[in-house]
Amino acid sequence: MSRLSTYALCGALALCIAVSVGTKVFAADSVAPVRLDRTKIAGLGLTAVPPDAYADILVAGKLNMRVAPLFTGKELRASIFESTPAKTDHRTRPNDTDEFVLVLSGKLILTEPNGTAHEFLPGDSLVLPVGYTGTWEMQGNYRELAVTMKKGK
């Protein structure tokens, strides 16, 4: 658990530093900073996800999701995700990457398979490790900044 807390703290610190210095992210193939699009972070100009993309794991609500990539590098990806209230069960579709999440609006409730629930409000951040199999419950107009990293080979 302390390792997870360390990852969350490091991810949150890195994100805060990036935001405070003008939202600069360095691409793997360039030394130039990449500014993250403020309008997409605000929820403007997002692309709708087909409603059946997560039909196999939807357990409550109606998934009206929109997304936008902010940065796609060789290993790192940052994106905005937004959804109407819904709940999904990831027992058959676990996370395939480690994921840092910063909740921007709404409320997120993650419930582990053992029943332990964790609530996250705007401004809260978390790291979800590869293999998470609990539920995601998104309440209100839920929007997050998600940063994922592909595992090295």
Side-chain angles (χ1 to χ4, degrees), residues 56-80:
D56 60 318
I57 59 173
L58 179 64
V59 293
K62 184 175 179 182
L63 281 172
N64 288 319
M65 299 180 298
R66 299 181 325 138
V67 298
L70 297 172
F71 173 81
T72 302
K74 292 179 182 177
E75 295 180 359
L76 188 74
R77 178 179 169 90
S79 58
I80 293 296

Side-chain angles (χ1 to χ4, degrees), residues 27-46:
D29 59 348
S30 174
V31 294
V34 176
R35 183 176 299 274
L36 302 181
D37 187 331
R38 289 181 185 163
T39 59
K40 289 180 181 174
I41 292 171
L44 303 174
L46 306 183

Side-chain angles (χ1 to χ4, degrees), residues 23-145:
T23 319
K24 296 178 183 177
V25 178
F26 297 92
D29 59 348
S30 174
V31 294
V34 176
R35 183 176 299 274
L36 302 181
D37 187 331
R38 289 181 185 163
T39 59
K40 289 180 181 174
I41 292 171
L44 303 174
L46 306 183
T47 302
V49 174
D52 60 344
Y54 293 91
D56 60 318
I57 59 173
L58 179 64
V59 293
K62 184 175 179 182
L63 281 172
N64 288 319
M65 299 180 298
R66 299 181 325 138
V67 298
L70 297 172
F71 173 81
T72 302
K74 292 179 182 177
E75 295 180 359
L76 188 74
R77 178 179 169 90
S79 58
I80 293 296
F81 169 84
E82 184 176 80
S83 177
T84 55
K87 184 176 182 178
T88 56
D89 186 338
H90 293 258
R91 282 182 282 192
T92 60
R93 194 191 277 197
N95 280 25
D96 59 358
T97 62
D98 290 322
E99 182 173 354
F100 169 81
V101 173
L102 173 64
V103 177
L104 299 172
S105 67
K107 181 184 200 180
L108 174 64
I109 302 170
L110 297 176
T111 304
E112 298 175 43
N114 68 9
T116 303
H118 307 271
E119 291 187 6
F120 301 94
L121 300 172
D124 289 342
S125 58
L126 64 127
V127 172
L128 204 56
V130 168
Y132 175 75
T133 59
T135 63
W136 286 72
E137 182 177 350
M138 299 156 289
Q139 297 181 350
N141 180 26
Y142 179 74
R143 188 169 57 251
E144 70 180 30
L145 168 65

Side-chain angles (χ1 to χ4, degrees), residues 5-20:
S5 298
T6 301
Y7 286 146
L9 181 59
C10 289
L13 181 59
L15 183 63
C16 289
I17 291 169
V19 169
S20 70

